[in-house]
Amino acid sequence: MGTPKIITLQEATSMIKDGDCLAFSGFTIWRRPVAMCYEILRQGKKNLHLFEVQGGFHSEVLVGGGAVKLWEGSWMGQEILGKTGVNLSRKQANGEVIVDDLSHGHAVGRLSAGAIGLPFFPTALAMGTDILNPAYDGIANAGLRDGSNPKIPKEKYTTVKDPFYDMGELLLMPAINPNWGLVYAPMVGTEGTVRILAQCYNDQDVIKACDKVIVICEEIVPDEYLRREPTQNLANGYEIDYIVVCPWAAHPTGSQFYYDTDADFLLSFNKSTKTQDGFDKFAEEYIYGVKDHDEYLEKLGVRRLEKLRASQATGYSSRVKRGTR
Amino acid sequence: MGTPKIITLQEATSMIKDGDCLAFSGFTIWRRPVAMCYEILRQGKKNLHLFEVQGGFHSEVLVGGGAVKLWEGSWMGQEILGKTGVNLSRKQANGEVIVDDLSHGHAVGRLSAGAIGLPFFPTALAMGTDILNPAYDGIANAGLRDGSNPKIPKEKYTTVKDPFYDMGELLLMPAINPNWGLVYAPMVGTEGTVRILAQCYNDQDVIKACDKVIVICEEIVPDEYLRREPTQNLANGYEIDYIVVCPWAAHPTGSQFYYDTDADFLLSFNKSTKTQDGFDKFAEEYIYGVKDHDEYLEKLGVRRLEKLRASQATGYSSRVKRGTR
Amino acid sequence: MTASNEYAKVGEFKPLDLLAVAGAREVNDGDVVFAGTGLPMLAIGLAQNENAPTARCVYEGGSIDGRPIDTPTSVGDARCIYQASRAGGLYEAFYGQLHSGYVDLGFLGGAEIDKYGNLNTTYVGTPLNPIMRFTGSGGNADILSFAKRTVLIMVQEKRRFTEELEYVTSPGWRVKKWPSGKYVPKQAVYGKFFKGGPSACITDMAIFRFDENGEMYLDTVHPGFSVEDVKNNVGFDLNVTRCSGETKPPTYRQLEILYNVVDPEGIFLP
Amino acid sequence: MTASNEYAKVGEFKPLDLLAVAGAREVNDGDVVFAGTGLPMLAIGLAQNENAPTARCVYEGGSIDGRPIDTPTSVGDARCIYQASRAGGLYEAFYGQLHSGYVDLGFLGGAEIDKYGNLNTTYVGTPLNPIMRFTGSGGNADILSFAKRTVLIMVQEKRRFTEELEYVTSPGWRVKKWPSGKYVPKQAVYGKFFKGGPSACITDMAIFRFDENGEMYLDTVHPGFSVEDVKNNVGFDLNVTRCSGETKPPTYRQLEILYNVVDPEGIFLP
C-alpha cells in the first residue's frame, strides 16, 4: 500500500474503462464528484455500471449523456429540487438502461459488506416487497447473472433462517466491490488523509469497497493539521489511490463549509432534461461546450459562485434565497 | 424511548440480577467501569455471565471475587502490567468458571451484530483453529446451549458457503445482546449525549447491543457543548438508560484526558492475586474494607491521584515514571 | 407565543397546514422519529415545539436529533447537523438506529397505496413495462418495514388509493411472501423481526387508520369534506363504519409555530 | 543521527536489541502493519525511523498511523492517537482494516509454535483439562489468519517449538478443518479469503522461515549460537539445510534509534 498520487482530472478520468462499475461519494445533492462525471462524458465513456445507494445530479448527467448501461440503486432524484430522476426514468422506459431496484438498507448493507471484505450482508429490512420479486430482477432478466462479470453476483439475494435464536428468515444481500470509487471530499492531507466536514453518508464504505479510489478535493492541506483530530477523519492515505485538486468540483451539488447546493441550477436541469433533446442542449452548454472545469466555472461566473459560498460559521450559505418568503 | 435517569452507584448496581449477562466499555486497562464492578462484589451478585471482547482489571476483580459463572471472550490480562489474567486462569483450572474462547474478530462481530439487531455476523477471521473445535465448546460442554437462556445461542457458530461470488466457506457467529451494558465514559451531557475523548474501542456497540445501559461518568456537562461537534459523540441520550456520576470511577484503569492507568496498582494486583488468598486480601483492603467509592479514593490519597491526572494537552499523565530510565 | 389554543376556522388555514398539524399529532413525546424531507419535517418541527418536546429526529443522511436554525431542504443538508447529538452516515441511520430497533415512528409519502398500507414509490407500470419511474424506494421500504409505527402522507385521489398495487415498494400490514408472491400478514414474513406497521394515513381529505386485520378504515374527515367525498376518492371498498367525526383544525398557536418557527422562509409552506 | 551503519559487536547489544532489529528488517516501506504491544512496537518504531519511513501502524484499540511522542504501553493507550490519521475502534481495526484486506504485515508472539507456524497463546493443557490459562487469542488468531505476511516472535525453548500443539489459537500454514479437525493447507480452509500466512519466526537464537509446503526451516543463526544450539532447542525435526549463515547484528545507528528515539524511557528495553 502506498501514498496516493496527485493527477489531473483528465488523467484520472482516462483510467476509467468502458463497462467499469462505479460508485460515488455523497448523498442526493451533496458532495458529488460532478466535475469528473462531466469529464467522463467529454471522454465518451460507455456502458458504465453504476452502483448507487442513491443517485443524484451527477448520475442523472451520466445517464442522460448515454454513458450508463446498468444502474443499481435505491433512489434517483434531487430532493425537493426535482422529485424524480427524469433522465433515468426516460432511459429505463426506453429500454436504454437496465435498472435493478434496491432499498436504501439493502444498498447500504451491500456496500458495507464490500467495505469489510465479506461476500454478503444479512438484513431483515424491506422484506415482503417487489424489490425482492424474482420476476423483477432486472439484472437477471438481462442475462447478466451468469458469473462472467465479477462485479455482478450470481443471485440478487438469498434467504437464510437464523440458526441461533429462532428469529426467523432474513436476507443475505451480496457485497459489491465496484472498480472505481469517485469520491468528492473537501480536504485531503499531504499524506492522503481525507476529511469531510459533516455527515459521512456512505463515503467511508465507498472508499473501502472500491478496487481503486480517486478523491477529488477543493484543496490539499497539511496532514499534520488533519491529524490533530484523528476522530474527525474519514480515511487514511493508503486507502486512496489518486488525488485530483479541483475547486468547486461538486457544483451544483453542495459541499458543507465550502458551498451550498445550487438550487436554481438543479431545478432548471430537472425541468429542461425531461426530454433527450433537452438534455442534449444542457450538455452542449455546460459539458461539451466548455473545454474544462475552469471554463465551466467562468461560465457560471463569480456572482453565482459567491452567492453559494458557505458561511464558515454554519457551513452553508446565508446569501441564497430558498423559500417564498 | 426517553431521557436517561440519574441514579447512584448503589442504585444502579442493585438493578443487576444474579445470572445476568454483562458487557463493558473500554479496552484492557482503559475506560473500565471499575467502581461499579467493586460495588457488584459489595452487593454480593452471583452467577454473572460476562461477554467480553477482552477482559481486564474490572473483570479479573469480578472473577476473583466469585461473582462470575460464565466468561465468554477472547483475551484476559492487563497488557504489559500482567500478561495473563491470573484470576480467570485459576478459576478456570479449578472448574469454578465456565470459559468459552473466541478471537477478537469473533467477539467484535458478535457484538456488532447485536448492536444492529441481526442474529449473526459473517466472518472469515480465525478459521482453522481450536477456537472453533466443537469438542472445546465450553458452553455446550456445560449443557447451556439448550435454548433455555435467551442470552446463549443454540450453536457456537455455523458455516455457510458464499452463494454470490464463490469465495468459499465462512463463519456465521451468533449475535450477543447482554442484559446490561456497564459503560464508563468521561462526559455525559444533560440530555444524555455521550462523549469519549479517544479511540472508541467497542463502546458504541456495547451501548447498542445491551438491553439496558448504565453510563458511569466523571461529570455531566451541558448537552449544548457536546452538540457543537456532533461527529465527536459516541451515543444519543435515548440509547442509554441510567447515568451515574462518579469521578475516578475507572481507576486503576485509565481515562484519556482525565487520568492515566495506575501501573503500580495493576502490577501489584496481578502479582498478589495469583492465589485466592491473595485476591481475598486485596478485596478486603480495597473493596469490602471501604464503605463506598469516596472512601476508596481517600484510601488512594491525593498524592497518588494527582500523579495520575492527565495533561490537558496530551490526554495522559506526564508525572508517572513508566520505564527503567 | 401569543396565539391561542383555539381552533382556526375553515378558510383561515390551507390544506398543507392541516396535513402538518395532523402529522404532528401522531408524534408522542419521546418518540424517535425517522423522517424524510418536506411535510414530515414540518410535522415533527411542530410537534417538537408543542406536544412532543423530547421527540428526536433521525435523518437518512446520518444526523441524529439535530436542531437546525434554518430549515433543511434535504435530509443530507448541511443544516441538519446543527446542534445534533450525532452525525454519522447511512449505516448508522439504517442499521445502528432502524434495524437496531430504536425507531418509534416513521413518516413517509408514496405515489400509491393499497388498503393494507403497502406503498408504491417506484413505478407507473412495472419493471417489466415501465411507463414512468418515480424516485424508487430510498429509505421508504426500510422505514415502513422496521419502524414501530409509521404515518403515511398521501394525496387523496381514486387512482392513488388502489385495490392492488402494480408494484409494492414498501411493506404494509399484508406483504408478499417470496418466491410465490402470495400476500400474507406482515408477521408471517418478519417473524421475530416484526416491530409494527403503518398506524395512520393522512391525506388532504381525511385521516385513515388500520384495524386488527391491517385493513384501512376512515377515522376522521377534514373540515369541508364529507364521508362520501372520501369514498369517491378511494379506489377500493373503504370501511367508514368507524368514522369518529371531523378532523380537528389547526389551532392559531400551531399555525403561528408553523409559519414563524418551523418554516419562516416559506420553503415548504407557501 | 551521529551513529554509523557499522555492525555492533557481540557484547555491545542485548538479545532484545537483536530481536527488535530483526523484526524491523521484516518491514517493507509502505507496509500497513497490525501490531501488538511490546517488541512489535519497537520493531516498527525502528523501521519507521530507518528502512520503512512510510510503514503505517494499525493498533487493535482503533488508532491508525499514530505518531506517539511517548511510547505507548498498550495498544489502547491514550498515547497511540497522537497525530494518528484516524482513531476508531475495534470494528474498524478488525473489519475495516484487517478483514478488508489492507494489512500487509502482522507482528505476533505466542507461548508455543509448531513447524507450520500455528500458535498457542491460550492454554497449558486444553479447555477440557486446563492447567493454566494465558491471555487467549485477542487479535492473535485474526491477524495470523488475514495479514498477508506475519512475523512471529518467540522465545527459543524446546518445549515451545513443539511437534503438535495441544491447542491451536492461531492458524499457520496447515490448519484444522472442522468438524474433523484434520490438518489441511491453509488455502483449503480459507478459499478466496486466503491472503498469506506466517513469513518469519524470530527468536532470541535464530530466524526461521517457511518453505513451499509451509514448513519451518532455519534461515540464520544469531551471533554467539550454532546450528546445533538451535536444533537442540526445537522440539521437532528442523530443516537446517537452507541455513544462510549468521543473523546480521544491529548497527550502531539502529541501537541509537532504539534507545534514544523509540524507547527513551526504557519501557521495553531495560
mmCIF file of all heavy atoms in Angstrom, chain D residues 5 15 21 28 31 49 67 72-73 80 88 101 104 109 125 131 134 145 150 158 161 200-201 208 221 238 244 252 258:
data_model
loop_
_atom_site.group_PDB
_atom_site.id
_atom_site.type_symbol
_atom_site.label_atom_id
_atom_site.label_comp_id
_atom_site.label_asym_id
_atom_site.label_seq_id
_atom_site.Cartn_x
_atom_site.Cartn_y
_atom_site.Cartn_z
ATOM 1 N N ASN D 5 26.512 3.174 10.364
ATOM 2 C CA ASN D 5 25.824 1.993 9.884
ATOM 3 C C ASN D 5 26.668 0.734 10.010
ATOM 4 O O ASN D 5 26.331 -0.299 9.471
ATOM 5 C CB ASN D 5 25.386 2.198 8.433
ATOM 6 C CG ASN D 5 24.160 3.099 8.365
ATOM 7 O OD1 ASN D 5 23.307 3.039 9.251
ATOM 8 N ND2 ASN D 5 24.082 3.930 7.338
ATOM 9 N N PRO D 15 20.154 -9.367 23.654
ATOM 10 C CA PRO D 15 19.290 -10.229 22.825
ATOM 11 C C PRO D 15 18.033 -9.486 22.346
ATOM 12 O O PRO D 15 17.641 -9.611 21.198
ATOM 13 C CB PRO D 15 18.915 -11.371 23.774
ATOM 14 C CG PRO D 15 20.022 -11.427 24.771
ATOM 15 C CD PRO D 15 20.522 -10.007 24.925
ATOM 16 N N VAL D 21 15.678 -5.407 16.029
ATOM 17 C CA VAL D 21 16.301 -5.068 14.752
ATOM 18 C C VAL D 21 15.887 -6.067 13.675
ATOM 19 O O VAL D 21 15.540 -5.685 12.547
ATOM 20 C CB VAL D 21 17.848 -5.027 14.910
ATOM 21 C CG1 VAL D 21 18.532 -5.011 13.551
ATOM 22 C CG2 VAL D 21 18.246 -3.809 15.747
ATOM 23 N N ASN D 28 8.583 -3.765 5.158
ATOM 24 C CA ASN D 28 8.856 -3.087 3.891
ATOM 25 C C ASN D 28 8.303 -1.673 3.929
ATOM 26 O O ASN D 28 7.279 -1.421 4.587
ATOM 27 C CB ASN D 28 8.190 -3.825 2.729
ATOM 28 C CG ASN D 28 8.755 -5.214 2.533
ATOM 29 O OD1 ASN D 28 9.908 -5.474 2.893
ATOM 30 N ND2 ASN D 28 7.953 -6.105 1.975
ATOM 31 N N ASP D 31 4.406 -0.664 4.069
ATOM 32 C CA ASP D 31 3.578 -1.708 4.678
ATOM 33 C C ASP D 31 2.548 -1.119 5.650
ATOM 34 O O ASP D 31 2.862 -0.201 6.414
ATOM 35 C CB ASP D 31 4.451 -2.688 5.485
ATOM 36 C CG ASP D 31 5.002 -3.820 4.638
ATOM 37 O OD1 ASP D 31 4.620 -3.926 3.456
ATOM 38 O OD2 ASP D 31 5.813 -4.605 5.173
ATOM 39 N N ASN D 49 11.833 4.678 11.476
ATOM 40 C CA ASN D 49 12.929 5.626 11.570
ATOM 41 C C ASN D 49 14.105 5.267 10.672
ATOM 42 O O ASN D 49 15.091 5.992 10.622
ATOM 43 C CB ASN D 49 13.417 5.724 13.018
ATOM 44 C CG ASN D 49 12.543 6.654 13.843
ATOM 45 O OD1 ASN D 49 12.679 7.861 13.772
ATOM 46 N ND2 ASN D 49 11.604 6.072 14.580
ATOM 47 N N ARG D 67 1.532 8.756 15.665
ATOM 48 C CA ARG D 67 2.938 9.136 15.793
ATOM 49 C C ARG D 67 3.219 9.580 17.211
ATOM 50 O O ARG D 67 3.459 10.763 17.485
ATOM 51 C CB ARG D 67 3.239 10.248 14.786
ATOM 52 C CG ARG D 67 3.178 9.698 13.377
ATOM 53 C CD ARG D 67 2.948 10.692 12.294
ATOM 54 N NE ARG D 67 2.760 9.976 11.033
ATOM 55 C CZ ARG D 67 2.691 10.547 9.842
ATOM 56 N NH1 ARG D 67 2.771 11.851 9.722
ATOM 57 N NH2 ARG D 67 2.519 9.814 8.765
ATOM 58 N N PRO D 72 3.764 4.132 23.783
ATOM 59 C CA PRO D 72 2.564 3.550 24.410
ATOM 60 C C PRO D 72 2.922 2.254 25.145
ATOM 61 O O PRO D 72 3.824 1.533 24.721
ATOM 62 C CB PRO D 72 1.650 3.241 23.219
ATOM 63 C CG PRO D 72 2.245 3.948 22.044
ATOM 64 C CD PRO D 72 3.706 4.074 22.315
ATOM 65 N N THR D 73 2.215 1.961 26.201
ATOM 66 C CA THR D 73 2.406 0.673 26.883
ATOM 67 C C THR D 73 1.248 -0.268 26.602
ATOM 68 O O THR D 73 1.173 -1.351 27.150
ATOM 69 C CB THR D 73 2.521 0.846 28.408
ATOM 70 O OG1 THR D 73 1.342 1.500 28.881
ATOM 71 C CG2 THR D 73 3.733 1.664 28.770
ATOM 72 N N CYS D 80 -1.427 6.439 21.822
ATOM 73 C CA CYS D 80 -1.450 5.897 20.453
ATOM 74 C C CYS D 80 -2.036 6.866 19.430
ATOM 75 O O CYS D 80 -1.733 6.764 18.248
ATOM 76 C CB CYS D 80 -2.279 4.621 20.399
ATOM 77 S SG CYS D 80 -1.577 3.247 21.305
ATOM 78 N N GLY D 88 -10.516 5.133 15.512
ATOM 79 C CA GLY D 88 -11.824 4.480 15.530
ATOM 80 C C GLY D 88 -11.856 3.470 16.650
ATOM 81 O O GLY D 88 -11.397 3.749 17.755
ATOM 82 N N GLY D 101 -8.677 -6.395 4.028
ATOM 83 C CA GLY D 101 -7.522 -6.760 3.213
ATOM 84 C C GLY D 101 -6.418 -5.726 3.122
ATOM 85 O O GLY D 101 -5.530 -5.837 2.275
ATOM 86 N N ASP D 104 -0.728 -5.585 5.412
ATOM 87 C CA ASP D 104 0.364 -6.277 4.752
ATOM 88 C C ASP D 104 1.126 -7.185 5.710
ATOM 89 O O ASP D 104 1.579 -8.241 5.326
ATOM 90 C CB ASP D 104 1.364 -5.247 4.178
ATOM 91 C CG ASP D 104 0.728 -4.368 3.125
ATOM 92 O OD1 ASP D 104 0.225 -4.909 2.134
ATOM 93 O OD2 ASP D 104 0.718 -3.141 3.318
ATOM 94 N N GLY D 109 3.329 -12.608 18.938
ATOM 95 C CA GLY D 109 4.070 -13.527 19.784
ATOM 96 C C GLY D 109 3.182 -14.693 20.163
ATOM 97 O O GLY D 109 1.979 -14.682 19.903
ATOM 98 N N GLY D 125 -2.257 -27.283 28.658
ATOM 99 C CA GLY D 125 -3.376 -28.217 28.735
ATOM 100 C C GLY D 125 -4.342 -27.876 27.618
ATOM 101 O O GLY D 125 -3.968 -27.308 26.590
ATOM 102 N N ILE D 131 -4.619 -26.547 32.628
ATOM 103 C CA ILE D 131 -3.678 -26.470 33.755
ATOM 104 C C ILE D 131 -3.403 -25.008 34.068
ATOM 105 O O ILE D 131 -3.310 -24.592 35.201
ATOM 106 C CB ILE D 131 -2.391 -27.233 33.393
ATOM 107 C CG1 ILE D 131 -2.747 -28.724 33.229
ATOM 108 C CG2 ILE D 131 -1.317 -27.043 34.441
ATOM 109 C CD1 ILE D 131 -1.781 -29.484 32.360
ATOM 110 N N PHE D 134 -3.242 -18.737 29.469
ATOM 111 C CA PHE D 134 -2.567 -17.493 29.119
ATOM 112 C C PHE D 134 -3.639 -16.453 28.794
ATOM 113 O O PHE D 134 -4.769 -16.584 29.245
ATOM 114 C CB PHE D 134 -1.626 -17.713 27.928
ATOM 115 C CG PHE D 134 -0.605 -18.789 28.140
ATOM 116 C CD1 PHE D 134 -0.536 -19.891 27.300
ATOM 117 C CD2 PHE D 134 0.303 -18.702 29.195
ATOM 118 C CE1 PHE D 134 0.407 -20.890 27.492
ATOM 119 C CE2 PHE D 134 1.249 -19.689 29.393
ATOM 120 C CZ PHE D 134 1.300 -20.790 28.539
ATOM 121 N N SER D 145 -4.560 -14.986 10.628
ATOM 122 C CA SER D 145 -5.433 -15.534 9.585
ATOM 123 C C SER D 145 -5.541 -14.616 8.369
ATOM 124 O O SER D 145 -5.738 -15.094 7.265
ATOM 125 C CB SER D 145 -6.828 -15.842 10.136
ATOM 126 O OG SER D 145 -7.578 -14.674 10.405
ATOM 127 N N THR D 150 3.062 -12.501 8.226
ATOM 128 C CA THR D 150 3.121 -12.278 9.666
ATOM 129 C C THR D 150 4.471 -12.716 10.197
ATOM 130 O O THR D 150 4.977 -13.784 9.838
ATOM 131 C CB THR D 150 2.006 -13.030 10.412
ATOM 132 O OG1 THR D 150 0.737 -12.601 9.925
ATOM 133 C CG2 THR D 150 2.068 -12.747 11.910
ATOM 134 N N LYS D 158 12.839 -25.718 23.687
ATOM 135 C CA LYS D 158 12.424 -26.967 23.063
ATOM 136 C C LYS D 158 10.918 -27.175 23.239
ATOM 137 O O LYS D 158 10.206 -27.526 22.309
ATOM 138 C CB LYS D 158 13.201 -28.123 23.700
ATOM 139 C CG LYS D 158 13.190 -29.394 22.860
ATOM 140 C CD LYS D 158 13.973 -30.510 23.554
ATOM 141 C CE LYS D 158 14.131 -31.690 22.616
ATOM 142 N NZ LYS D 158 15.378 -31.644 21.845
ATOM 143 N N PHE D 161 8.762 -25.027 20.904
ATOM 144 C CA PHE D 161 8.792 -25.392 19.473
ATOM 145 C C PHE D 161 8.418 -26.864 19.393
ATOM 146 O O PHE D 161 9.277 -27.733 19.466
ATOM 147 C CB PHE D 161 10.182 -25.137 18.877
ATOM 148 C CG PHE D 161 10.403 -23.713 18.499
ATOM 149 C CD1 PHE D 161 10.456 -22.727 19.480
ATOM 150 C CD2 PHE D 161 10.537 -23.329 17.181
ATOM 151 C CE1 PHE D 161 10.643 -21.392 19.134
ATOM 152 C CE2 PHE D 161 10.710 -21.998 16.828
ATOM 153 C CZ PHE D 161 10.766 -21.019 17.813
ATOM 154 N N ALA D 200 7.975 -15.268 8.793
ATOM 155 C CA ALA D 200 9.231 -15.431 9.526
ATOM 156 C C ALA D 200 8.936 -15.674 10.992
ATOM 157 O O ALA D 200 7.882 -15.266 11.497
ATOM 158 C CB ALA D 200 10.113 -14.190 9.363
ATOM 159 N N CYS D 201 9.859 -16.354 11.641
ATOM 160 C CA CYS D 201 9.772 -16.513 13.091
ATOM 161 C C CYS D 201 11.117 -16.101 13.650
ATOM 162 O O CYS D 201 12.168 -16.614 13.231
ATOM 163 C CB CYS D 201 9.450 -17.972 13.420
ATOM 164 S SG CYS D 201 9.472 -18.308 15.195
ATOM 165 N N PHE D 208 13.791 -18.069 11.516
ATOM 166 C CA PHE D 208 13.258 -19.177 10.735
ATOM 167 C C PHE D 208 12.335 -18.612 9.658
ATOM 168 O O PHE D 208 11.737 -17.553 9.838
ATOM 169 C CB PHE D 208 12.432 -20.117 11.631
ATOM 170 C CG PHE D 208 13.177 -20.607 12.833
ATOM 171 C CD1 PHE D 208 13.200 -19.862 14.009
ATOM 172 C CD2 PHE D 208 13.854 -21.819 12.796
ATOM 173 C CE1 PHE D 208 13.885 -20.308 15.125
ATOM 174 C CE2 PHE D 208 14.548 -22.272 13.915
ATOM 175 C CZ PHE D 208 14.571 -21.513 15.086
ATOM 176 N N VAL D 221 21.297 -17.889 12.022
ATOM 177 C CA VAL D 221 21.538 -18.113 13.446
ATOM 178 C C VAL D 221 22.141 -16.837 14.023
ATOM 179 O O VAL D 221 23.004 -16.219 13.393
ATOM 180 C CB VAL D 221 22.505 -19.300 13.635
ATOM 181 C CG1 VAL D 221 22.765 -19.545 15.117
ATOM 182 C CG2 VAL D 221 21.935 -20.547 12.980
ATOM 183 N N LEU D 238 13.999 -30.222 12.641
ATOM 184 C CA LEU D 238 14.136 -28.930 11.975
ATOM 185 C C LEU D 238 14.975 -29.046 10.706
ATOM 186 O O LEU D 238 16.057 -29.626 10.718
ATOM 187 C CB LEU D 238 14.785 -27.925 12.934
ATOM 188 C CG LEU D 238 15.034 -26.524 12.370
ATOM 189 C CD1 LEU D 238 13.727 -25.779 12.160
ATOM 190 C CD2 LEU D 238 15.968 -25.731 13.292
ATOM 191 N N SER D 244 21.357 -19.871 5.862
ATOM 192 C CA SER D 244 22.139 -18.980 5.002
ATOM 193 C C SER D 244 23.240 -18.261 5.763
ATOM 194 O O SER D 244 23.875 -17.365 5.238
ATOM 195 C CB SER D 244 21.219 -17.962 4.332
ATOM 196 O OG SER D 244 20.624 -17.137 5.313
ATOM 197 N N TYR D 252 25.183 0.394 14.890
ATOM 198 C CA TYR D 252 25.231 1.390 15.967
ATOM 199 C C TYR D 252 24.090 2.395 15.824
ATOM 200 O O TYR D 252 23.488 2.849 16.791
ATOM 201 C CB TYR D 252 26.584 2.104 15.970
ATOM 202 C CG TYR D 252 27.715 1.176 16.353
ATOM 203 C CD1 TYR D 252 28.644 0.751 15.407
ATOM 204 C CD2 TYR D 252 27.821 0.692 17.663
ATOM 205 C CE1 TYR D 252 29.659 -0.131 15.755
ATOM 206 C CE2 TYR D 252 28.830 -0.189 18.014
ATOM 207 C CZ TYR D 252 29.743 -0.598 17.058
ATOM 208 O OH TYR D 252 30.746 -1.475 17.408
ATOM 209 N N LEU D 258 16.886 2.915 18.653
ATOM 210 C CA LEU D 258 16.075 2.153 19.608
ATOM 211 C C LEU D 258 16.073 2.801 20.992
ATOM 212 O O LEU D 258 15.021 2.981 21.599
ATOM 213 C CB LEU D 258 16.605 0.716 19.736
ATOM 214 C CG LEU D 258 16.115 -0.296 18.699
ATOM 215 C CD1 LEU D 258 16.810 -1.641 18.927
ATOM 216 C CD2 LEU D 258 14.590 -0.471 18.810
#
